[in-house]
Amino acid sequence: MKPLQISPETAITLSKQLGVPLEHLMHMPQHILLQKIAELSKKAAEPAEGSASDPSAEKDKQ
């Protein structure tokens, strides 16, 4: 299996966000990496959706 075709900057950022050593990340199967990235984006979207869907939270801020 060949290493992932991603830039060094992207690899370092993903390694930090996923909590995976850089060497493991570069040899991680692509389908597993995509699954982990999807989990990260889902976690990042949850707090944003929660605050936007609660109109009372907006009133409290004003």
Side-chain angles (χ1 to χ4, degrees):
M1 181 181 335
K2 65 180 182 176
L4 296 171
Q5 301 296 311
I6 56 177
S7 71
E9 294 84 13
T10 302
I12 291 169
T13 302
L14 283 173
S15 174
K16 288 179 182 176
Q17 289 182 350
L18 294 173
V20 177
L22 189 57
E23 295 81 14
H24 292 183
L25 178 79
M26 292 306 295
H27 294 286
M28 186 179 289
Q30 187 174 3
H31 69 280
I32 293 176
L33 179 61
L34 291 174
Q35 180 182 9
K36 289 187 179 286
I37 292 172
E39 290 172 6
L40 276 178
S41 66
K42 189 181 287 187
K43 286 180 186 177
E46 284 176 1
E49 289 174 1
S51 63
S53 65
D54 187 9
S56 64
E58 292 296 321
K59 291 178 184 175
D60 292 340
K61 290 179 183 176
Q62 296 174 351

